[in-house]
Amino acid sequence: MLNMAEGLARLRALAEAPVVSEVAAAFQAADFELAVVGGPVRDALLGRETNDLDFTTNASPDEILRIVTPISTAQWDIGRAFGTIGARVKGEQVEITTYRADSYDGVTRKPTVEFGDTIDGDLARRDFRVNAMALQVASPESGREIKLIDPTGGVEDLVAGILRTPTDPTVSFGDDPLRMLRAARFSAQLGFDIDPATHDAVAQLRETLKIVSPERVQGELVRLMQTDDPVRGIRVLVETGLVDEFLPEISALRLEVDEHHHHKDVYEHSLTVLQQAIELEHSRHPGEAPDVALRIAALLHDIGKPRTRKLEPGGAVTFHHHDVVGSRMARKRLQALRFDGETTDAVAKLIELHLRFFGYAEGAWTDAAVRRYVRDAGDLLERLHILTRADVTTRNRRKAARLASAYDDIETRISALAEQEELDAMRPELDGNQIQEILGIGPGREVGEAYRFLLDIRLDEGIIGPDAAEQRLRDWWAARG
């Protein structure tokens, strides 16, 4: 519940923060208006941590640059075309933007920009009422007196926990279709409901997201996955059909029944896995930044099931090889959304490996099998631990306890083997140069084959010592003729 007295006190503290005071004084001296705008104002009222500082002003981009240069250690104008100048003031990054009104022409993927004259007009063009508030910190008329500017009723929406657009939602989303994705993200981030008219407008205009570049869509998806409750936002995307415009594999999961969890369809199972992965992420790595790749892998780990679904005699349903198929599907989708290679590779690999553990739970693995598990996971091993544990959503307590115990066991064995054998290195005991020297051969295909032969010994038998490895290599070479 929003406490206005406490909220106003936090707004005053925001206005008196050193960096805000420094920037405000500079604009006041130059006879321009200046206000902190959007997220910082919203978060101060809600008692949430305030991060990036965004300002808006009636000064032009050239005038902004002239004003901030003397008080900043760095400036950048990469957003000048959109009226934005960035600067580093007192060690903090700030962005200052000229009052504006922008929109899409419905064809191209880039917004057109028009600069405005009033702060009320600037706020009316913003995505949601809760983000359309400003804290005036400099005004030629009233000096440094602070003032909350809320022309669209943002405070009322904060109190109600509702997301609504400042204007008709069909007009707002028509101006910038990416705002539909932001509705899902802010719903997850703030725990707010979406106003029915706004919700309906997303469903009605979802196809207009096509004019937005994949990079911008990806950016919003990442921000959604970084929230503490992305499941809430994903439900919005699926309910409105918006997800079908950029990640249709998610809604397709609702049509399938998971063969291990008959009480849930694969869609609900996947959301539960995502939720549990986040809980494990927090418990095992408290204070660390959200692991976006892990969370996307948890969400997408079963997307291969619709494509591999098969009805067996007797009414059973199978999804053979859905791990491999899903890995390929995820890679293709993330590439289309312009994800970086590291994230794409990590997600695809985690999906490919997410079923490996269940073979362990069905029967004890040999040390060789454990080594191969570690080798195949590589630097994704910890993420694979979390994903695999999160993938257990059965309501059968006995089964859940058995799986948890089995994974406790495999982690213990991995730790023991790592301590004994430097498992992380996972290399043969002879390197390529030694292989060439022992066999009297030069670089080529045979060296690679010999290396793989020794690696198999390392995985199957552990460390046997360099002398034994050399003898085994000589015997293998001799057997080849």
Side-chain angles (χ1 to χ4, degrees):
M1 179 67 68
L2 177 63
N3 184 311
M4 278 305 299
E6 294 179 0
L8 291 174
R10 287 189 291 266
L11 285 181
R12 182 165 293 279
L14 174 62
E16 294 172 354
V19 63
V20 175
S21 296
E22 182 87 359
V23 176
F27 277 79
Q28 181 70 42
D31 286 329
F32 285 106
E33 298 173 1
L34 184 77
V36 184
V37 68
V41 179
R42 176 201 69 218
D43 290 342
L45 285 169
L46 290 173
R48 295 169 57 93
E49 182 180 353
T50 300
N51 295 311
D52 299 332
L53 284 172
D54 294 324
F55 296 88
T56 188
T57 178
N58 59 340
S60 70
D62 287 342
E63 290 165 332
I64 294 172
L65 189 59
R66 174 176 57 80
I67 294 168
V68 300
T69 296
I71 64 170
S72 58
T73 56
Q75 311 84 36
W76 50 95
D77 62 356
I78 191 170
R80 181 191 289 263
F82 300 99
T84 301
I85 300 295
R88 184 167 296 280
V89 180
K90 291 188 173 295
E92 291 191 43
Q93 179 176 317
V94 301
E95 288 190 348
I96 307 167
T97 303
T98 304
Y99 298 157
R100 70 187 188 188
D102 54 28
S103 64
Y104 281 80
D105 59 14
V107 179
T108 62
R109 293 183 170 187
K110 294 182 179 180
T112 58
V113 176
E114 296 178 3
F115 296 137
D117 299 320
T118 67
I119 190 167
D120 283 4
D122 179 89
L123 295 175
R125 56 158 283 279
R126 293 180 179 265
D127 51 10
F128 302 102
R129 296 183 186 184
V130 297
N131 296 331
M133 297 180 289
L135 181 65
Q136 178 185 284
V137 290
S139 168
E141 292 77 19
S142 58
R144 293 289 309 285
E145 180 182 352
I146 70 167
K147 175 184 176 183
L148 177 63
I149 303 173
D150 179 20
T152 67
V155 169
E156 287 85 347
D157 283 3
L158 282 183
V159 172
I162 291 176
L163 287 173
R164 286 184 286 189
T165 55
T167 59
D168 184 322
T170 60
V171 175
S172 180
F173 295 151
D175 285 344
D176 184 355
L178 192 69
R179 289 172 178 167
M180 297 186 290
L181 262 179
R182 290 193 190 126
R185 191 244 296 184
F186 284 121
S187 177
Q189 182 176 318
L190 303 174
F192 284 11
D193 293 328
I194 297 177
D195 166 68
T198 303
H199 192 282
D200 291 345
V202 175
Q204 177 187 340
L205 299 176
R206 68 187 195 187
E207 292 185 2
T208 62
L209 190 68
K210 290 184 175 69
I211 71 169
V212 180
S213 69
E215 289 83 359
R216 296 187 73 208
V217 172
Q218 178 234 103
E220 276 303 319
L221 176 60
V222 167
R223 293 183 188 97
L224 169 59
M225 298 306 290
Q226 289 173 329
T227 66
D228 288 336
D229 185 19
V231 168
R232 185 186 186 100
I234 292 162
R235 290 193 185 280
V236 171
L237 296 176
V238 173
E239 290 166 4
T240 60
L242 186 61
V243 76
D244 293 335
E245 304 303 321
F246 64 98
L247 201 56
E249 294 83 359
I250 300 302
S251 56
L253 294 174
R254 293 181 298 171
L255 305 178
E256 306 303 327
V257 177
D258 187 292
E259 78 275 26
H260 296 302
H261 312 280
H262 293 293
H263 60 287
K264 298 174 183 172
D265 61 19
V266 182
Y267 171 67
E268 289 295 336
H269 165 71
S270 297
L271 296 185
T272 302
V273 172
L274 171 57
Q275 220 161 17
Q276 294 185 165
I278 292 172
E279 291 168 3
L280 286 167
E281 182 187 332
H282 288 328
S283 65
R284 292 172 72 119
H285 307 287
E288 293 189 10
D291 190 337
V292 172
L294 170 64
R295 296 180 181 196
I296 293 176
L299 177 63
L300 303 184
H301 76 285
D302 275 346
I303 60 171
K305 283 188 171 180
R307 194 170 291 184
T308 58
R309 181 173 182 263
K310 185 178 180 181
L311 298 176
E312 301 289 354
V317 182
T318 60
F319 303 95
H320 294 310
H321 307 301
H322 75 268
D323 46 348
V324 176
V325 172
S327 175
R328 293 172 184 159
M329 292 170 64
R331 179 179 295 280
K332 184 176 180 180
R333 181 59 61 188
L334 296 189
Q335 288 173 340
L337 288 170
R338 306 292 195 269
F339 273 87
D340 62 277
E342 182 179 351
T343 300
T344 300
D345 290 344
V347 171
K349 191 69 172 177
L350 286 169
I351 293 173
E352 180 185 342
L353 296 175
H354 82 273
L355 290 181
R356 289 283 185 91
F357 158 72
F358 292 98
Y360 184 92
E362 293 167 3
W365 283 0
T366 63
D367 285 350
V370 175
R371 293 187 193 100
R372 290 180 185 278
Y373 187 73
V374 173
R375 190 272 309 270
D376 291 345
D379 58 5
L380 298 176
L381 183 61
E382 173 59 17
R383 287 162 156 171
L384 185 59
H385 287 331
I386 293 175
L387 175 58
T388 303
R389 286 182 180 273
D391 197 20
V392 178
T393 63
T394 178
R395 292 179 179 175
N396 184 317
R397 292 185 178 181
R398 181 175 298 179
K399 182 178 179 181
R402 179 175 60 82
L403 291 170
S405 176
Y407 213 89
D408 288 342
D409 182 61
I410 194 174
E411 287 202 63
T412 299
R413 288 182 63 190
I414 288 171
S415 297
L417 284 171
E419 187 174 340
Q420 294 169 13
E421 305 179 4
E422 299 181 358
L423 200 56
D424 290 340
M426 199 60 71
R427 299 185 184 90
E429 293 179 70
L430 302 175
D431 61 26
N433 291 331
Q434 291 170 309
I435 290 171
Q436 293 178 57
E437 183 178 346
I438 291 169
L439 301 182
I441 59 176
R445 178 175 54 85
E446 291 88 352
V447 177
E449 292 175 355
Y451 187 92
R452 286 190 290 275
F453 167 74
L454 292 173
L455 180 58
D456 284 339
I457 293 175
R458 173 76 170 82
L459 292 168
D460 291 338
E461 304 177 33
I463 298 173
I464 63 175
D467 292 339
E470 178 178 341
Q471 187 58 53
R472 296 281 286 275
L473 175 64
R474 291 185 182 278
D475 292 344
W476 170 82
W477 186 249
R480 288 167 55 96

